[in-house]
Amino acid sequence: MSQSNSDDTIFAGALCLPAEERAAYIEQATRGDAALRQRVESLLKGYEDAEFLEQPVPSRIQQTVAISVPLTEKAGDKIGRYKLLQQIGEGGCGVVYMAEQEEPVRRRVALKIIKAGMDTKSVIARFEAERQALALMDHPNIAKVLDAGATEAGRPYFVMELVRGMKLTDYCDEAKLPFRARLDLFMKVCQAIQHAHQKGIIHRDIKPSNVLVTINDGAAVPKVIDFGIAKATGGQLLTDKTVFTAFGQFIGTPAYMSPEQAMLTSLDIDTRSDIYSLGVLLYELLTGKTPFESEELLAIGLDEMRRTIREKEPDRPSTRLSTLPDNELGTTAQSRGLDAPKLISQLRGDLDWIVIKCLEKDRARRYETANGLAADIERHLRNEPVVACPPSNLYRLRKLIRRNKVAFAASALIAAVLLVATVVSVWQAALAKERLDDSEAISKFLTEVFQSPDPARDGRTITVAETLGAAAKRLDSDLASQPVRRAKLQAAIGHTYYTLGLYREAIPLLEEARAYYLVAFGLENTNTLNAMHALAGSYDGMGRYEEALKLQEEVVRFDRKMLGLEHPQTLLELNCLALVYKDVGRLKEAIKLWEQALALDRKVLGLEHPYTLRAMENLSNGYGAAGRFAEALKLREQALALDRKVLGQEHPETLRAMLNLATSYSQLGRHDDEALKLQEKDLQLYRKVLGSEHPETLMAMNNLACFYDDVGRRDEALKLWEEMVQNSRRALGPEHYLTLGGMTALAESYRSFGHDNEAIALLKEVLGVNPKDSEVFLELATLQTWLGQDADYEATRRRVIQNVEGTEDLVMADRAAKASCLRPSTDAALMAKALALARHAVELGKTNSSSPWRQMCLGLAEYRTGQYDSAEQTLTVAEQMAGDQHNISVSNRRQIQGTARLFRAMSLFRQDKLEEARRLFNEAKAQMAPLPKHENQSMVEGKPASYDDLICWLAYKEAKGLIEGQAVIAKDAGK
């Protein structure tokens, strides 16, 4: 570099800095060269002493910098109708004052005036251009021009709204704003710049000091200021005076300057130059750093500075942060409300590529508009795919060659590179053609399948499910010779069925897709694992829990191996695995896994990520199932607030959170207006968003019906359960667990109205589909016995014993034995099987808190098989256990002890201990719940009696007939 260039470069660099920082900069830049330092200081002194400067910077460089030119105005002076209060800013050619407007209204304003001695033709032209640029715009995030004029000396000024605020970056750091809040403010800045662009104005100097944040009604509002070097587009004139940018002039601030601004050629500057500067601003908001630091750029000299801006690729934001010293990284993370690892992880991916797309050297690869940039950030915040993505390998190769022309000069190396480039190009072209062919073939197939229905063929309407069914049937015939495309469509249609809750239809398609991908690609493949994930979910939805568990454990194992424990996909699969654990009855393991997954989600993805929100919901469900209702309520309230904020009021996850919170209210006995309105609103939104036949809508119907039933609105409960069952049968089939659960609930509702026979018919239908539903067969047997349907009861208990033979499920064994012992039987073999089941249940449940129930059931079985002495002892133990265990409710203790005493009384009677039997019978009679008023109904006070109460009442009626009947006979005999 020549001596003159060196002097100019350091001089220009000094002008870019505040006055108090110039000396240190000059000392560093001259590196002990006393002569050079003296020349630069001389240039600087001459510049500051100048009374008239046609070109503010006598070299090739013009900057928007602070310049110390003597001022003529001071606080207290008046300019027109404005009284100057204090100086609040200073630029290269102007000074900004806070002023008070005295009429026609009194208000504080900002007044900008050209400095004395700076009123040259070019400076006045730029000043008026800024004034005109601001006057053209009307946007809440751009400072407004209120007035304009000239002083008595002829120096122009204009008046703007007074923006009391901090630099954008300083405000965000001081308030410790998280990424989302920073991005919200940044999107407003983008909208302001878009407005300027639409008015034909390019800002050309976007940086934090030109974006101030002010507080308006408690909300932060960014304001873009200083259009001092703005440029008009499309031939528009901002002023009738000449604004000439000399060839080779620097316009802008180096750290925020686009490559085309640094070219110093005649290359036209367009709106995409502002996009680059917005990218630098976003980089700084996220990391606290600019891609190229100002001090480093100024220290390397003008030519190297320009080359760096034009050619050097900036680090991705996450990479830049990972290279910071630990203390600096910790401070940066703290000012964003995060820890260091989470800060870096939140930048990786979308935000990295959004920033890098703004900072592309080739402006054609940047966002076309500021609105386009804001829209991509919005997509990121909504967890939708963003436009920005990593550049291709071929693009990287071309950039490498351009940056290293000397290194690639040797002919052999060039040939090799060209060969590689050719191979890459051919490969990418072939891949693109293959993808295009795939897309066209799949598009043609789907177009034919999803064509408008033919009224003559399909009637007036055809559902999405029916259309998917038609597509699935055509796969084997239309794509028989195209296994890859068939597998893709099988997986896609199967996943759609899965999303719609049509698990039965999804399973065969997903099984075929998984089988193909396993053979073609093996387990360690994304397509294979995605198909397995959806298949596991479908198995779980259909109640095929063991198959779901095996498959989901395999998915988690390979995700952890391929992606690592903290990858978002692995975290999602951990949540799904815990859900299956819960469904197979391994609740403690499910809760432990959910707690682990939630901690990782919060650490890796942040509190507001959808996966984190889902983990909160799942864990709260686990707490609810475990009876930890207060913990569940707290987590559900947090989750719903976050869902509404992040996903919106009508997102399915938000609706699920509302449903879960309503469940918590019910579990804690909160049946107030707030809880009821929440459930009603939730169902209304489910119907709107997912339709009346979606599984989650059906679940919401069931929950609201239960709530109505709890508060005594039984007519509404019955109507809602009837609708739920009808919709579930049609959409999910009679064997789906929601259909079966709805039918059971509807049967209970029928009993509330005294419609026991309708209830029995529904329970029989449930058992026809699921003959091992132990709770249903016990309820059915109890109802049949209570209503005197002896023949039906005999058939039921024989069927029950047959269905559960060999079971290792203690609940099923206990209920089957109890259902078989409600009435005496002459079938000794049947009663022997019932006794064996009862003994097996006691053995299996030795450490279980429900042991009194098992003991009581064993006493019943022993009584029915004639073992009266053993029965009396076993039932005595059951009574004592019920009294000793504190975790048994009052009603359950009454049911156990009442039934046990009645059967003990009958056992004593059978052993000829008549007085003891009568005494015990009278004790039990005094303590038992009142019987129904009408023996042909199974409800008390308008509510269905539990089958445990019915069993106790059946025992009472039998004991009364036996003991009191014998007393009557004895009395008659005495006469």
Side-chain angles (χ1 to χ4, degrees):
M1 183 182 293
S2 69
Q3 174 181 306
S4 176
N5 283 347
S6 178
D7 295 356
D8 285 351
T9 299
I10 298 173
F11 169 59
L15 288 180
C16 295
L17 298 173
E20 64 272 14
E21 297 179 17
R22 290 175 185 167
Y25 164 74
I26 293 171
E27 183 176 354
Q28 179 188 9
T30 55
R31 296 184 178 89
D33 187 334
L36 174 59
R37 177 174 180 172
Q38 185 177 1
R39 289 194 301 273
V40 172
E41 288 176 342
S42 181
L43 284 170
L44 190 61
K45 186 175 185 303
Y47 180 78
E48 292 173 346
D49 291 343
E51 295 182 357
F52 180 85
L53 293 174
E54 182 63 30
Q55 291 287 349
V57 183
S59 70
R60 298 183 301 276
I61 306 166
Q62 183 181 11
Q63 277 274 19
T64 53
V65 293
I67 301 169
S68 300
V69 174
L71 306 178
T72 59
E73 288 78 27
K74 61 184 182 299
D77 290 351
K78 290 190 66 174
I79 297 179
R81 53 187 174 184
Y82 303 97
K83 180 181 179 180
L84 304 185
L85 300 178
Q86 69 180 85
Q87 182 182 333
I88 57 175
E90 183 178 357
C93 62
V95 183
V96 183
Y97 294 91
M98 181 195 299
E100 185 171 55
Q101 179 179 339
E102 297 180 337
E103 50 89 17
V105 293
R106 298 186 70 89
R107 59 180 171 182
R108 295 287 173 90
V109 296
L111 184 147
K112 185 170 185 177
I113 185 170
I114 286 183
K115 294 178 182 177
M118 295 297 292
D119 46 346
T120 68
K121 186 184 297 183
S122 64
V123 170
I124 290 174
R126 290 216 176 276
F127 190 87
E128 292 193 3
E130 177 183 12
R131 183 170 67 185
Q132 181 63 23
L134 285 168
L136 284 171
M137 291 177 282
D138 181 18
H139 192 276
N141 300 114
I142 297 177
K144 291 181 175 63
V145 168
L146 305 174
D147 194 6
T151 66
E152 292 180 359
R155 285 185 291 125
Y157 68 86
F158 62 89
V159 180
M160 302 171 286
E161 67 171 306
L162 179 65
V163 179
R164 302 175 184 269
M166 301 170 61
K167 287 196 312 184
L168 176 63
T169 47
D170 289 350
Y171 172 80
C172 290
D173 288 347
E174 187 171 298
K176 291 184 168 53
L177 294 189
F179 278 163
R180 185 178 185 93
R182 290 170 184 252
L183 292 173
D184 285 341
L185 288 174
F186 180 76
M187 285 190 288
K188 290 183 173 66
V189 177
C190 290
Q191 291 160 6
I193 297 302
Q194 178 71 23
H195 177 79
H197 290 173
Q198 288 172 336
K199 295 293 184 178
I201 307 299
I202 308 168
H203 190 288
R204 294 204 294 181
D205 200 21
I206 298 168
K207 55 186 177 183
S209 59
N210 283 342
V211 182
L212 301 182
V213 178
T214 185
I215 304 300
N216 188 359
D217 292 332
V221 179
K223 292 274 187 177
V224 179
I225 63 170
D226 200 346
F227 281 76
I229 60 171
K231 176 180 174 66
T233 63
Q236 175 181 335
L237 293 177
L238 289 177
T239 174
D240 56 0
K241 296 181 171 61
T242 301
V243 179
F244 174 67
T245 301
F247 181 85
Q249 282 188 332
F250 239 18
I251 299 294
T253 305
Y256 301 87
M257 185 181 295
S258 68
E260 55 267 31
Q261 283 177 276
M263 289 288 285
L264 303 186
T265 68
S266 59
L267 178 67
D268 186 40
I269 305 296
D270 64 19
T271 56
R272 290 170 294 183
S273 184
D274 280 352
I275 302 300
Y276 182 94
S277 301
L278 285 169
V280 179
L281 180 60
L282 179 57
Y283 196 114
E284 190 170 4
L285 280 172
L286 298 175
T287 68
K289 302 288 183 182
T290 52
F292 309 116
E293 293 295 335
S294 295
E295 293 80 2
E296 295 173 4
L297 288 174
L298 294 172
I300 60 180
L302 175 62
D303 291 340
E304 187 62 21
M305 178 197 304
R306 289 171 51 230
R307 189 198 67 78
T308 296
I309 296 171
R310 291 195 319 266
E311 298 179 9
K312 185 177 179 181
E313 296 292 345
D315 289 334
R316 287 176 301 185
S318 62
T319 304
R320 180 67 180 277
L321 283 176
S322 66
T323 62
L324 293 179
D326 289 345
N327 60 336
E328 191 173 350
L329 178 59
T331 301
T332 303
Q334 187 178 18
S335 67
R336 285 148 182 80
L338 297 167
D339 55 35
K342 187 179 293 185
L343 173 67
I344 294 173
S345 70
Q346 286 196 12
L347 284 177
R348 288 197 184 108
D350 287 357
L351 290 176
D352 269 344
W353 298 121
I354 288 172
V355 171
I356 292 301
K357 185 173 178 65
C358 294
L359 301 181
E360 285 283 358
K361 304 300 184 189
D362 179 358
R363 58 182 174 175
R365 292 177 59 82
R366 296 177 204 151
Y367 292 98
E368 286 291 325
T369 64
N371 270 356
L373 166 57
D376 225 14
I377 293 173
E378 184 67 33
R379 280 188 283 271
H380 162 72
L381 293 175
R382 292 199 304 262
N383 298 292
E384 297 173 359
V386 297
V387 171
C389 61
S392 68
N393 290 332
L394 183 59
Y395 176 75
R396 292 176 188 274
L397 180 61
R398 289 171 178 161
K399 297 280 285 185
L400 180 65
I401 295 171
R402 288 197 194 104
R403 288 198 308 270
N404 299 278
K405 291 177 181 177
V406 176
F408 285 98
S411 58
L413 191 53
I414 290 176
V417 169
L418 290 174
L419 177 61
V420 171
T422 303
V423 170
V424 171
S425 297
V426 170
W427 173 74
Q428 287 192 337
L431 184 60
K433 185 177 186 305
E434 180 185 343
R435 288 175 177 168
L436 179 61
D437 290 344
D438 268 356
S439 297
E440 289 177 347
I442 292 172
S443 177
K444 180 175 181 294
F445 175 85
L446 292 177
T447 300
E448 291 174 357
V449 170
F450 285 87
Q451 63 182 316
S452 298
D454 180 354
R457 182 190 67 223
D458 304 312
R460 294 183 62 189
T461 61
I462 181 170
T463 66
V464 172
E466 289 168 337
T467 307
L468 289 171
K473 288 177 182 177
R474 291 184 54 178
L475 288 176
D476 289 335
S477 58
D478 290 18
L479 298 177
S481 61
Q482 303 173 56
V484 177
R485 290 170 185 166
R486 185 175 71 239
K488 284 181 180 178
L489 278 166
Q490 284 172 333
I493 296 172
H495 193 275
T496 304
Y497 272 136
Y498 166 66
T499 305
L500 290 171
L502 302 175
Y503 309 122
R504 180 182 53 198
E505 291 82 356
I507 286 171
L509 289 164
L510 292 169
E511 284 177 335
E512 288 192 45
R514 176 193 58 165
Y516 172 79
Y517 287 134
L518 276 172
V519 172
F521 305 114
L523 264 170
E524 296 186 21
N525 176 266
T526 303
N527 291 323
T528 308
L529 293 174
N530 286 343
M532 290 168 65
H533 166 81
L535 181 57
S538 297
Y539 281 154
D540 189 62
M542 284 302 295
R544 296 166 61 174
Y545 300 132
E546 293 299 332
E547 293 169 278
L549 178 60
K550 182 179 179 181
L551 203 55
Q552 190 60 36
E553 285 180 331
E554 202 166 17
V555 171
V556 168
R557 182 163 61 90
F558 278 93
D559 271 335
R560 291 185 68 165
K561 178 181 177 183
M562 294 166 56
L563 305 172
L565 178 60
E566 295 190 356
H567 191 279
Q569 185 64 30
T570 308
L571 298 179
L572 173 65
E573 300 297 356
L574 284 175
N575 269 292
C576 295
L577 177 58
L579 184 63
V580 184
Y581 278 155
K582 174 178 176 286
D583 288 340
V584 297
R586 294 162 60 175
L587 184 57
K588 287 185 178 179
E589 291 171 85
I591 291 175
K592 184 177 180 181
L593 190 56
W594 272 322
E595 289 173 337
Q596 177 191 1
L598 179 56
L600 287 169
D601 282 328
R602 284 172 167 163
K603 171 189 172 186
V604 176
L605 303 174
L607 187 61
E608 296 184 358
H609 194 279
Y611 289 1
T612 308
L613 301 180
R614 185 179 301 183
M616 292 174 71
E617 287 293 346
N618 288 339
L619 178 57
S620 71
N621 291 341
Y623 285 154
R628 296 161 64 175
F629 300 137
E631 292 170 275
L633 175 64
K634 182 179 178 181
L635 206 53
R636 284 166 173 169
E637 287 175 334
Q638 293 172 0
L640 179 56
L642 287 169
D643 278 327
R644 283 172 167 162
K645 174 185 175 184
V646 176
L647 303 174
Q649 180 71 32
E650 296 185 359
H651 192 281
E653 291 291 341
T654 307
L655 305 186
R656 198 172 297 124
M658 291 173 68
L659 184 66
N660 288 332
L661 181 57
T663 300
S664 271
Y665 287 155
S666 293
Q667 288 168 336
L668 291 167
R670 281 185 56 180
H671 296 138
D672 52 19
D673 287 343
E674 178 191 3
L676 180 59
K677 287 177 182 177
L678 179 68
Q679 297 231 46
E680 290 176 330
K681 179 66 173 177
D682 190 42
L683 178 55
Q684 177 188 351
L685 289 172
Y686 262 122
R687 290 184 194 270
K688 175 183 176 182
V689 176
L690 298 179
S692 293
E693 295 184 355
H694 191 279
E696 294 194 45
T697 308
L698 299 173
M699 187 68 75
M701 286 183 184
N702 180 70
N703 278 30
L704 180 56
C706 288
F707 205 94
Y708 281 151
D709 191 64
D710 288 340
V711 298
R713 294 167 62 173
R714 295 193 177 90
D715 287 335
E716 292 165 281
L718 177 63
K719 183 179 178 181
L720 203 52
W721 267 316
E722 286 178 331
E723 182 188 358
M724 178 208 168
V725 169
Q726 181 182 9
N727 290 350
S728 189
R729 277 175 172 154
R730 181 169 54 247
L732 305 176
E735 73 276 15
H736 194 277
Y737 73 92
L738 282 176
T739 307
L740 298 175
M743 291 167 69
T744 306
L746 180 57
E748 192 81 352
S749 186
Y750 280 149
R751 289 180 58 203
S752 298
F753 291 88
H755 302 157
D756 285 335
N757 286 325
E758 287 89 338
I760 286 173
L762 274 174
L763 295 175
K764 284 182 176 179
E765 192 175 342
V766 171
L767 284 180
V769 177
N770 184 15
K772 293 190 177 183
D773 189 327
S774 57
E775 186 168 10
V776 171
F777 64 57
L778 178 56
E779 187 165 356
L780 176 62
T782 307
L783 276 176
Q784 289 171 331
T785 307
W786 179 258
L787 297 173
Q789 299 175 2
D790 296 345
D792 288 338
Y793 168 65
E794 287 297 331
T796 296
R797 68 173 166 182
R798 291 180 185 280
R799 186 179 175 192
V800 164
I801 292 292
Q802 181 182 352
N803 287 339
V804 304
E805 198 166 2
T807 184
E808 291 298 314
D809 185 322
L810 70 89
V811 174
M812 188 175 290
D814 174 71
R815 286 174 174 167
K818 194 181 298 180
S820 302
C821 294
L822 299 178
R823 286 182 59 82
S825 175
T826 57
D827 188 336
L830 182 68
M831 288 296 97
K833 289 180 180 179
L835 177 60
L837 281 170
R839 285 174 174 165
H840 192 45
V842 169
E843 186 64 28
L844 290 171
K846 277 184 176 178
T847 59
N848 192 285
S849 62
S850 299
S851 295
W853 292 105
R854 320 287 176 237
Q855 199 75 19
M856 185 192 72
C857 180
L858 176 59
L860 266 62
E862 287 173 336
Y863 175 80
R864 292 296 183 212
T865 54
Q867 301 177 40
Y868 304 125
D869 181 55
S870 296
E872 200 276 330
Q873 294 178 31
T874 300
L875 291 165
T876 300
V877 172
E879 279 188 69
Q880 292 171 347
M881 291 176 71
D884 293 340
Q885 291 193 5
H886 301 293
N887 58 345
I888 296 178
S889 68
V890 173
S891 62
N892 284 346
R893 183 176 292 112
R894 186 194 68 234
Q895 289 160 350
I896 294 171
Q897 291 181 334
T899 304
R901 285 172 183 168
L902 290 165
F903 272 91
R904 274 182 63 204
M906 288 189 282
S907 296
L908 289 168
F909 185 87
R910 296 291 186 184
Q911 297 175 70
D912 294 327
K913 300 177 181 179
L914 304 183
E915 290 303 319
E916 290 180 70
R918 290 192 185 102
R919 179 183 56 77
L920 198 56
F921 171 74
N922 288 329
E923 285 180 10
K925 179 181 177 181
Q927 294 176 2
M928 66 184 290
L931 272 71
K933 292 180 180 179
H934 306 285
E935 291 192 8
N936 61 340
Q937 291 184 341
S938 63
M939 60 180 185
V940 177
E941 297 178 354
K943 291 185 178 181
S946 71
Y947 54 75
D948 290 307
D949 274 333
L950 289 176
I951 290 170
C952 186
W953 293 334
L954 285 168
Y956 166 76
K957 290 168 71 174
E958 184 177 351
K960 180 180 180 182
L962 181 67
I963 297 171
E964 291 189 346
Q966 183 63 36
V968 171
I969 293 172
K971 184 178 180 182
D972 289 344
K975 291 180 180 178

